[in-house]
Each structure stands twice: as C-alpha cells, then as structure tokens.
Amino acid sequence: MSLELGVNIDHIATIRQARGTVYPDLLEAMKLVEDAGAHAITIHLREDRRHIQDADVYAIKKHCQRRLNLELAATDEMVAIACDVKPSDACVVPEKREELTTEGGLDVIGQFDRIKKATQTLKKEDIRVSLFIEPNIEHIKRVPDIGAPVIELHTGTYANATGNAQKREFDRIVEATEYADAQGIQVNAGHGLDYNNTQIIAAIPQIKELNIGHSMVARAVFVGIKQATAEMLSILEQARK
C-alpha cells in the first residue's frame, strides 16, 4: 500500500516573518510541492501567529490542489477559524506559547472534554479530524469516544533519540500503530522526521500518511522545495517496496 506525504510549509512562513517581507511566497511554495507529487499541504495556525497568518490559511485553502491539513489547538478561536475555512483535514495538536515547536502529544485523557468538543464541532462541518498523540495505547483507547477517525502519532521522541532508546521508541510506535489500526483508526505519523530517520517509520505498513516539514524546508535551502519534496517521496516509495 502506498504511503502519502503531507508537506508542512510553516517554516517557509517563518523565513518571511523574520523580516516582515512578502517573500518567500507561500502559494509559490505550495504549487512547487504539489507539482512534485505531495498528497497534502499541512500548515499550523498557532495562537501567537509566529509563522502562518490568518490570511495565509484562507489563501492556501483557495488555491490548494491537494488536501489541506490544518493543524490547530483545541480552542474556540482556532476551531471557529477551521470551521470557516473548511480544510479537508484538521489535526488537533497541543500548544504552548513558550515552546519552539510542538512538544509531545495531546493529553486526551486529562483534556478529554475539551478535545471531544473541538472534534465534534469540526466533524459537523465535514472536516476529517485527527488527533496528534503519543504512541500510547491508553490514550489511543480514548480516541473512539472522542470521535476522531484518525490519529497522528508523535515521532519526535523517536527522532531525537539514539541507540537503544531510539529502538525502544520505534517499537512503541509499531505497537501503537498496530493497536490503533486493529480498532479501525487511521494512523498517520510525524514530527522530527528527516532524510535519515524516515524510512524505518515509512516501512510500518499500517501508517497511511507522514507529515514532514522542518527538515524538508532546510533541505530546500540547497536544492529547492520541489526537489526536496521529490527526494522525500522517493524515500517513502522505497520504504514500501
């Protein structure tokens, strides 16, 4: 079974916001990513608007030729924006103002009511909801009660580990993936994946989609975003042969 790639273009906006310019153009980047064969465009509208801006979300939705996956916190403001934009997919993620990037998965046990409310509101607008969670079976057990058909497993701990610690985290991802798939939950994965550590994750047969951003934007500095996308797609294709 083929594996889909969602390309997160947040950090192209980060470069733009660093000097408050109108470049690099997110729509140009999106078109190049789509032309390279990516299956989805992923963006995260953060509460502090550190990279993606509200206007970007609407412009990308208008011109996107693939699926738009909007990452958002489970707040009334963000859910309302998503319901207005109506992306194909919405991935509910944890968010802290002081963090450099998303750290860890949602606490679907401790914040069950808030996450369920956001999920049900998004579903009423025919938006497919995924929950960004740790590869933890106890958390996955609560997903059906929340009502999300998709989870995205946090691979950041795996990506940042080495040696035996990385092997243990990989095994945890495999176990969580197999469990969720057996419950009829679609499994995606992402965070911290790059050109060296992605193939082993991509080879897990039950995973349907990987969302990758920072490493691809970094690679694009040298080869361009279209080539960076093509290279990652090749890794995914080789992993499934």
Side-chain angles (χ1 to χ4, degrees):
M1 182 182 294
S2 63
L3 176 62
E4 296 194 345
L5 173 65
V7 178
N8 187 313
I9 59 174
D10 288 350
H11 292 296
I12 293 174
T14 298
I15 297 170
R16 180 194 65 191
Q17 296 304 113
R19 290 202 172 183
T21 58
V22 296
Y23 61 82
D25 184 349
L26 284 179
L27 295 183
E28 181 180 3
M30 178 181 70
K31 185 178 187 307
L32 291 168
V33 167
E34 291 177 337
D35 288 348
H39 303 88
I41 300 296
T42 298
I43 54 176
H44 183 179
L45 182 65
R46 296 185 70 104
E47 292 182 271
D48 62 10
R49 309 307 200 267
R50 68 178 61 171
H51 37 56
I52 298 295
Q53 306 298 302
D54 295 51
D56 295 328
V57 180
Y58 286 90
I60 289 169
K61 173 59 169 66
K62 180 178 179 180
H63 296 283
C64 187
Q65 299 299 306
R66 300 289 190 268
R67 290 185 294 106
L68 173 58
N69 176 32
L70 178 61
E71 297 180 341
L72 71 161
T75 65
D76 291 342
E77 178 196 21
M78 291 300 160
V79 170
I81 291 171
C83 289
D84 190 46
V85 174
K86 293 181 174 57
S88 306
D89 299 83
C91 183
V92 182
V93 302
E95 189 172 316
K96 293 184 291 188
R97 293 293 178 93
E98 66 274 15
E99 66 189 1
L100 289 175
T101 184
T102 303
E103 298 172 355
L106 288 164
D107 180 3
V108 296
I109 296 174
Q111 299 182 5
F112 179 89
D113 291 339
R114 183 163 70 93
I115 295 169
K116 182 175 182 178
K117 177 185 175 184
T119 298
Q120 295 302 319
T121 301
L122 291 163
K123 287 178 67 176
K124 287 177 182 176
E125 298 297 331
D126 294 323
I127 299 168
R128 187 173 66 163
V129 180
S130 64
L131 304 180
F132 187 76
I133 64 175
E134 291 294 321
N136 181 312
I137 289 176
E138 292 308 310
H139 282 240
I140 295 171
K141 286 178 179 178
R142 302 305 303 273
V143 171
D145 294 331
I146 290 172
V150 183
I151 58 172
E152 180 172 335
L153 294 179
H154 173 239
T155 53
T157 305
Y158 155 80
N160 293 329
T162 58
N164 289 334
Q166 188 176 64
K167 175 62 166 59
R168 286 194 298 271
E169 189 63 20
F170 173 75
D171 290 344
R172 199 163 75 107
I173 291 169
V174 171
E175 181 183 22
T177 299
E178 292 176 346
Y179 177 82
D181 183 71
Q183 309 310 308
I185 301 168
Q186 176 174 320
V187 183
N188 300 340
H191 202 75
L193 297 177
D194 60 31
Y195 294 86
N196 297 313
N197 63 22
T198 292
Q199 185 159 1
I200 190 172
I201 297 294
I204 301 172
Q206 297 88 352
I207 293 179
K208 303 297 192 297
E209 176 181 300
L210 296 180
N211 284 290
I212 306 175
H214 186 267
S215 65
M216 294 182 62
V217 174
R219 178 66 176 153
V221 171
F222 301 103
V223 302
I225 193 64
K226 187 172 182 178
Q227 178 64 23
T229 303
E231 290 176 4
M232 187 59 75
L233 283 166
S234 178
I235 290 172
L236 269 56
E237 182 180 354
Q238 290 299 316
R240 289 295 171 95
K241 282 189 175 180

